Amino acid sequence: MAQPSATFTMDSREVQFHLLQQRKLAFQRDGYTCTECGYKSQRGKGEVHDLEAHHIDRAAGDMLDNLQTLCLPVTTNEQLSS
Ligand SMILES: [Zn+2]
């Protein structure tokens, strides 16, 4: 008998892991460069501390198409202006 693997309930840890993967893919797609101002990440050892994967539409989830690479100053400004 097969296990009932069709049920798709992700716990919060899996959701977090999924977002981390999507975040990395978004950075790779955008060349680790801010899509607003062109700032390039000074990442060391593959860790990115100065970029954010911004959700273009907050309600649309963590799909790669909904993520945009932005530097931290830009994301901070966006939060202030909206
Ligand atoms: Zn920027």
Side-chain angles (χ1 to χ4, degrees):
M1 289 294 281
Q3 295 292 321
S5 59
T7 45
F8 236 109
T9 47
M10 295 203 290
D11 69 25
S12 59
R13 205 180 311 163
E14 285 174 295
V15 170
Q16 189 74 21
F17 180 68
H18 175 72
L19 177 57
L20 283 173
Q21 282 187 316
Q22 294 300 101
R23 182 175 175 270
K24 194 174 179 183
L25 287 172
F27 291 162
Q28 286 174 347
R29 181 199 58 198
D30 294 333
Y32 291 87
T33 303
C34 173
T35 56
E36 279 294 319
C37 72
Y39 169 81
K40 201 164 173 36
S41 173
Q42 304 299 308
R43 68 200 160 107
K45 296 182 181 176
E47 292 290 317
V48 177
H49 301 291
D50 47 5
L51 292 175
E52 273 299 323
H54 175 71
H55 289 80
I56 296 164
D57 180 349
R58 271 185 214 192
D62 302 329
M63 309 298 288
L64 186 55
D65 285 347
N66 191 41
L67 294 174
Q68 176 186 16
T69 301
L70 292 178
C71 66
L72 294 183
V74 167
T75 54
T76 307
N77 287 341
E78 284 222 343
Q79 281 161 13
L80 288 176
S81 64
S82 61

